Amino acid sequence: MKEARAKFICLVAALLFALCAHAAAAQTATAKAEDKVLLSVGGEVPKPLGLTAGDLSKLPRRSIKAKDHDGKEYTFEGVELVEVLRLAGVGFGEHLRGKAVANYLLVEASDGYKAVFALPEVDPEYSERVVLLADKRDGAALAPAEGPFRIIVEGEKRHARWVRQVTKLTIRKSD
């Protein structure tokens, strides 16, 4: 009887150890996913950045309703692109004048697709149009085919600059 009880205690201890190890591995995987750089910001910026989901979650969130390629209206949620660029030290408002007005943003996707925005287009002091770095549509995370980030341009009639799978933002000077 003592031997059976000892085996039972050993079995329970082994199961508890395995369960704890699995929970710790899951927490580590979640932490690593949050620490993974998902978006780089570089080029003519004072502070080049590698941003994680955790970094972006600290920025002010915004939602907008817009019609997607399929003609249906959705609510997209994310961070205004201007906020991301401000983190990298890009000057907007009163600081966006003179030669800086000719600078532009190159948005790049994981598949090589690219789109360009003049900096005044993303500055709320120049334009009422919102350019959103979205990570959700109708409250759910974007599907892998379009996320983790997607550019949504409020009021834009054609969606050629609605870049999916955004991985890189680069500020460039025009010649």
Side-chain angles (χ1 to χ4, degrees):
M1 188 70 160
K2 286 184 181 181
E3 188 176 307
R5 186 175 178 164
K7 284 183 181 180
F8 177 75
I9 290 172
C10 286
L11 178 62
V12 169
L15 286 172
L16 285 173
F17 177 76
L19 202 63
C20 289
H22 178 71
Q27 282 182 331
T28 301
T30 301
K32 285 183 181 177
E34 277 192 21
D35 292 340
K36 181 180 177 188
V37 171
L38 300 173
L39 180 68
S40 66
V41 183
E44 299 292 327
V45 297
K47 297 181 279 187
L49 301 170
L51 298 172
T52 66
D55 295 329
L56 292 167
S57 71
K58 296 173 187 169
L59 295 175
R61 307 246 338 140
R62 171 102 187 238
S63 62
I64 59 173
K65 289 187 179 196
K67 288 185 180 180
D68 205 347
H69 293 284
D70 61 7
K72 295 179 185 174
E73 188 173 84
Y74 298 97
T75 299
F76 292 94
E77 227 180 287
V79 176
E80 285 188 54
L81 202 51
V82 68
E83 297 298 335
V84 176
L85 297 174
R86 281 183 177 140
L87 276 181
V90 178
F92 288 100
E94 293 179 19
H95 301 287
L96 186 56
R97 62 177 182 247
K99 291 181 180 181
V101 174
N103 293 349
Y104 62 94
L105 167 67
L106 177 64
V107 178
E108 297 181 61
S110 61
D111 65 358
Y113 191 83
K114 297 176 184 177
V116 171
F117 292 87
L119 287 187
E121 288 183 280
V122 300
D123 187 340
E125 291 193 31
Y126 279 82
S127 173
E128 291 183 16
R129 180 180 286 178
V130 174
V131 181
L132 191 70
L133 181 67
D135 60 358
K136 291 185 178 186
R137 179 173 47 182
D138 288 341
L142 294 175
E146 63 180 333
F149 304 113
R150 181 178 179 190
I151 298 292
I152 305 296
V153 186
E154 184 179 46
E156 197 158 69
K157 292 180 181 180
R158 297 194 46 118
H159 296 153
R161 298 190 303 172
W162 285 35
V163 182
R164 298 175 183 185
Q165 299 178 330
V166 176
T167 58
K168 191 174 182 182
L169 305 173
T170 307
I171 300 295
R172 299 234 170 114
K173 290 183 178 182
S174 63
D175 293 330

